[in-house]
Amino acid sequence: MAMEEATALGAKTGPQGYIHHKTAEKYQGFLIHVLRTYTSMVPFLKGLHLTLESWRPDWDKDGWRVSNTLDPRLEYATKRKAPQFVKVVPHFKGDMETLVKLTCHRVPPFIKAWPTSHAAAFLVGDALGAGFVSTLWEQGDDKFDATYGGWTVDLLEALSNKREAYNLLLSIEAGVASGKLQPGTELFVFTDNMVSKRCFHSGRSRSAAMHALIVKMHDLVMK
């Protein structure tokens, strides 16, 4: 679906690095409708939102609105109509690529409106320097799954935020593979790493490696 939408945005070509505003606005409305069901894709529509508003003088070069009340650009009259073509912001390309990944299913994933499992699950994880540890417990169970070990050389050289996020991702994937985390299970994740939490909810990171992990997490939610 998203591939078709991304292709359609360039149907009416303009200058390099620009897309047709009216066409983009049309598909923005369609995607907002779709995202009412697939909420995991919500953060990845931001690039399109910012692109549609990038023509306004009170928005910076990265597509974000100026929040400094002393900035004279805030006095700009907003009644002016948008131009035919608008400049693509930096977030747009990555967001479109992520939407393509999340919508590559031949059949749309079935999303439950509420948890259907009889019990919730709780995951606690931490990356401790050269090693990692996590515990997964399901409500009502008299046992919990514990995972611990040491990082490979390449991960030891990575930023700690990546190790923290990777540890959580590995734990969730292991829970799904073992059958501990069944479809429809409500999962509560506890971590002392604020970066992982913020990146998950915002759907992005300035680090390419970290961003890839966040996309995988949202893909798990979709599945």
Side-chain angles (χ1 to χ4, degrees):
M1 175 203 67
M3 178 64 79
E4 296 174 357
E5 310 309 320
T7 303
L9 292 179
K12 297 182 178 180
T13 58
Q16 186 175 5
Y18 286 73
I19 60 174
H20 190 254
H21 184 274
K22 198 65 179 178
T23 302
E25 196 173 45
K26 172 183 176 182
Y27 287 103
Q28 178 195 40
F30 171 76
L31 287 170
I32 289 175
H33 176 73
V34 172
L35 267 54
R36 294 181 64 182
T37 298
Y38 298 103
T39 55
S40 289
M41 297 193 297
V42 169
F44 306 107
L45 201 59
K46 191 66 176 179
L48 179 56
H49 292 328
L50 296 180
T51 294
L52 283 170
E53 302 298 330
S54 63
W55 60 276
R56 299 182 186 277
D58 54 343
W59 293 61
D60 64 24
K61 60 183 179 62
D62 294 323
W64 298 99
R65 189 171 187 177
V66 176
S67 58
N68 184 357
T69 56
L70 299 179
D71 195 306
R73 287 179 292 176
L74 290 178
E75 299 178 2
Y76 177 75
T78 58
K79 294 182 179 180
R80 182 179 171 185
K81 291 184 178 180
Q84 185 177 7
F85 295 95
V86 289
K87 186 176 182 180
V88 172
V89 302
H91 288 309
F92 182 82
K93 182 176 182 292
D95 283 352
M96 290 297 105
E97 290 174 345
T98 300
L99 286 175
V100 169
K101 292 178 182 178
L102 296 179
T103 56
C104 65
H105 311 278
R106 293 182 63 86
V107 178
F110 181 77
I111 303 297
K112 295 178 174 59
W114 53 77
T116 55
S117 176
H118 69 284
F122 302 84
L123 172 66
V124 181
D126 193 17
L128 307 171
F132 59 89
V133 61
S134 67
T135 57
L136 179 62
W137 176 72
E138 188 177 30
Q139 190 176 14
D141 197 348
D142 58 354
K143 298 180 181 179
F144 61 85
D145 294 343
T147 304
Y148 59 90
W151 296 114
T152 56
V153 175
D154 58 327
L155 284 170
L156 277 175
E157 297 175 351
L159 295 175
S160 60
N161 290 329
K162 178 184 176 180
R163 294 197 299 269
E164 292 279 2
Y166 194 39
N167 181 39
L168 296 175
L169 177 61
L170 288 176
S171 302
I172 296 172
E173 289 179 333
V176 172
S178 67
K180 190 84 171 181
L181 293 177
Q182 293 290 329
T185 300
E186 186 174 19
L187 175 64
F188 293 88
V189 178
F190 299 86
T191 176
D192 62 354
N193 187 258
M194 187 175 293
V195 174
S196 297
K197 175 183 176 182
R198 287 182 173 178
C199 288
F200 176 79
H201 288 292
S202 67
R204 72 181 74 257
S205 171
R206 292 184 178 181
S207 165
M210 187 72 169
H211 183 78
L213 294 176
I214 297 303
V215 172
K216 286 184 178 180
M217 289 183 183
H218 281 282
D219 191 38
L220 280 174
V221 176
M222 287 282 292
K223 294 177 179 177

